[in-house]
Amino acid sequence: MELGPADWSAIRLTAALATLVTGLLLVVGTPLAWWLARTCSPLRGVVAAVVSLPIVLPPTVLGFYLLVAMAPDGPVGRLTAALGIGGLPFTFAGLVVASVIYSLPFVVQPIQNAFAAMGERPLEVAATLRASPLAAFFTVALPLARPGFVTAAILGFAHTVGEFGVVLMIGGNIPGKTQVLSMQIYNHVEALEYAQAHGLAAGLLVFSFVVLLGLHALGGGRRGVGVGA
């Protein structure tokens, strides 16, 4: 089965979206994971529950409320309008924002688990050597937590690739703009083009299997590949 131009466009758009979202998630998720792993704040449970919410919340529900928030009369919509950014719904930028929120727990929790498993001793040793907290974080904590970052990056990328409900609610199905791979599979099925749908779906199936196989090969199963709180 030969892929058509629309299929390749959806693949390229999905790869671009997943790459950008994964990078943003690592930047946003690292300080959040560090705080969750080390804080004694009474708000820790609330923040952890909010971060984990996309795991149990139906994607269409999350997508609906994000759409309401991003609407012109919503809080996010009014903010983006005031900043001159324009509307986010049915744009690639809107997909990025929604995907970051939707995949956040799949990045935060593996990094949080890695920071927690590290313990206090390495940082105490760094402090006795007169390393500042910031220097200790970059030279001690980050290298020790590297397996967690690898797991987080893989899970974040793979989870973004497989999005459907949030993509449908926020991005719609605009070719070359918001029509990602999951939407293209849906289009083929809706048009009774099962051969084309099978080709793309089989590719995602193989991709998902390789991701899980790679995580287990990296020892992810022992380091908390799961995203349970």
Side-chain angles (χ1 to χ4, degrees):
M1 193 279 297
E2 185 176 351
L3 299 179
D7 298 325
W8 285 113
S9 175
I11 291 173
R12 288 191 296 268
L13 187 64
T14 303
L17 175 66
T19 301
L20 179 57
V21 167
T22 301
L24 291 174
L25 281 170
L26 290 174
V27 172
V28 173
T30 298
L32 183 56
W34 179 255
W35 184 82
L36 288 171
R38 298 181 59 80
T39 186
C40 296
S41 170
L43 294 177
R44 181 185 181 279
V46 176
V47 175
V50 171
V51 170
S52 303
L53 199 57
I55 298 175
V56 297
L57 196 64
T60 50
V61 174
L62 178 62
F64 169 73
Y65 282 112
L66 288 176
L67 186 61
V68 170
M70 294 178 182
D73 57 345
V76 177
R78 289 195 294 267
L79 176 62
T80 56
L83 296 175
I85 299 175
L88 291 178
F90 311 112
T91 66
F92 182 78
L95 283 186
V96 171
V97 173
S99 297
V100 166
I101 296 172
Y102 183 51
S103 296
L104 186 62
F106 293 86
V107 170
V108 169
Q109 292 188 6
I111 300 175
Q112 178 186 342
N113 292 340
F115 283 146
M118 179 181 65
E120 295 290 337
R121 183 60 179 168
L123 297 176
E124 292 173 353
V125 172
T128 62
L129 297 175
R130 298 185 178 179
S132 67
L134 188 61
F137 175 78
F138 282 104
T139 61
V140 177
L142 287 186
L144 289 176
R146 183 171 56 183
F149 279 90
V150 173
T151 299
I154 295 174
L155 285 177
F157 188 93
H159 194 249
T160 303
V161 167
E163 289 180 33
F164 180 78
V166 171
V167 167
L168 177 63
M169 298 296 290
I170 298 298
N173 193 9
I174 306 173
K177 190 174 181 181
T178 63
Q179 190 179 83
V180 295
L181 191 53
S182 58
M183 290 303 308
Q184 184 63 4
I185 294 174
Y186 175 80
N187 292 337
H188 284 312
V189 172
E190 193 175 43
L192 303 180
E193 298 169 348
Y194 294 125
Q196 292 87 340
H198 172 68
L200 295 177
L204 277 182
L205 178 62
V206 172
F207 170 76
S208 301
F209 177 77
V210 170
V211 165
L212 293 176
L213 189 64
L215 287 175
H216 284 288
L218 289 168
R222 293 181 289 104
R223 295 188 180 95
V225 172
V227 290

